[in-house]
Amino acid sequence: DQQVKQNSPSLSVQEGRISILNCDYTNSMFDYFLWYKKYPAEGPTFLISISSIKDKNEDGRFTVFLNKSAKHLSLHIVPSQPGDSAVYFCAARVSSDMRFGAGTRLTVKP
Amino acid sequence: NAGVTQTPKFRVLKTGQSMTLLCAQDMNHEYMYWYRQDPGMGLRLIHYSVGEGTTAKGEVPDGYNVSRLKKQNFLLGLESAAPSQTSVYFCASSWTRTKDEQFFGPGTRLTVL
């Protein structure tokens, strides 16, 4: 039972353009959401998070949007850079339980 | 400051063999976790620990055991490896179990033949 889904396994964008990564969840009890970035042969690294009481959180080029009514989360990267090429995981947490999506591989072309 | 380290990086086992994966963190974190990552699936929590001497089951605990004898170390054991345990294993640590992000190790790729 995948409670967190990333329906796009891959995404390719041109350098300088916007990257939008999407995530859907089914459990309305989730109260905290995170995005992690993963490079090959490395562990995931934390990128940005958002509490369920907010609908937007921004950190430099990265913005996370939360639509609770649609149970939808998105990560915007503007402008995209070749170094952003990685696998991005969204995660959702309630109490001691955190669930991850399967990841989206982002490729930013120069 | 090494962060979270995992030993070994790669391992091949035969069905029925046992092994222990070691995770170490130098950030004085209370919480530590073991995840597995399989193709097409997100990271799934195997076991976690809320402090020295305490452990708890996660989403997929069957076939694994853990121990946290020292605060900085978290061991994951496979008593009798099965091909279904072929996966990439990640260890992580955090200050708390809520809100704070988790810091991940580089992973251990395990193949069970």
Side-chain angles (χ1 to χ4, degrees):
Chain A
D1 175 28
Q2 275 196 293
Q3 297 186 27
V4 179
K5 294 183 180 180
Q6 294 176 257
N7 292 319
S8 297
S10 63
L11 174 68
S12 182
V13 300
Q14 207 68 34
E15 181 179 5
R17 306 295 293 268
I18 184 171
S19 294
I20 300 176
L21 295 94
N22 294 304
C23 179
D24 298 298
Y25 61 94
T26 57
N27 188 345
S28 59
M29 299 299 292
F30 288 136
D31 60 5
Y32 202 69
F33 303 87
L34 307 92
W35 283 94
Y36 283 84
K37 180 168 73 172
K38 185 184 179 304
Y39 293 117
E42 295 183 9
T45 55
F46 170 75
L47 191 57
I48 192 169
S49 63
I50 187 168
S51 166
S52 61
I53 62 173
K54 296 184 177 181
D55 55 19
K56 177 182 174 181
N57 188 27
E58 194 171 350
D59 184 2
R61 296 187 296 114
F62 303 91
T63 303
V64 56
F65 294 92
L66 176 62
N67 183 334
K68 286 182 65 178
S69 61
K71 295 191 179 67
H72 181 80
L73 189 69
S74 64
L75 174 68
H76 293 208
I77 306 174
V78 182
S80 301
Q81 299 173 354
D84 295 330
S85 297
V87 177
Y88 289 79
F89 293 97
C90 71
R93 166 186 285 155
V94 54
S95 185
S96 61
D97 191 4
M98 187 152 82
R99 301 295 176 107
F100 285 82
T104 296
R105 182 177 300 279
L106 173 65
T107 303
V108 180
K109 298 180 179 179
Chain B
N1 190 344
V4 180
T5 58
Q6 292 182 232
T7 309
K9 287 186 169 51
F10 303 94
R11 186 72 187 267
V12 178
L13 291 178
K14 294 182 179 178
T15 297
Q17 287 185 318
S18 63
M19 78 162 294
T20 300
L21 281 67
L22 172 64
C23 175
Q25 54 95 3
D26 60 3
M27 296 172 282
N28 203 33
H29 285 166
E30 290 293 334
Y31 287 73
M32 296 188 75
Y33 318 82
W34 276 107
Y35 291 91
R36 58 178 289 173
Q37 185 193 8
D38 301 295
M41 304 188 73
L43 283 78
R44 291 182 294 167
L45 184 64
I46 304 171
H47 286 279
Y48 66 97
S49 168
V50 303
E52 184 178 323
T54 68
T55 63
K57 294 180 180 179
E59 186 184 354
V60 288
D62 294 341
Y64 305 95
N65 57 77
V66 288
S67 64
R68 182 108 180 259
L69 299 180
K70 294 182 179 180
K71 186 176 183 178
Q72 63 269 32
N73 296 336
F74 195 28
L75 279 62
L76 178 70
L78 286 74
E79 290 186 349
S80 179
S84 61
Q85 294 177 304
T86 293
S87 188
V88 180
Y89 291 85
F90 289 100
C91 175
S93 69
S94 68
W95 282 112
T96 68
R97 186 90 169 106
T98 59
K99 292 190 178 178
D100 292 321
E101 73 265 26
Q102 297 178 12
F103 294 81
F104 284 83
T108 295
R109 183 174 294 276
L110 175 66
T111 301
V112 183
L113 302 176

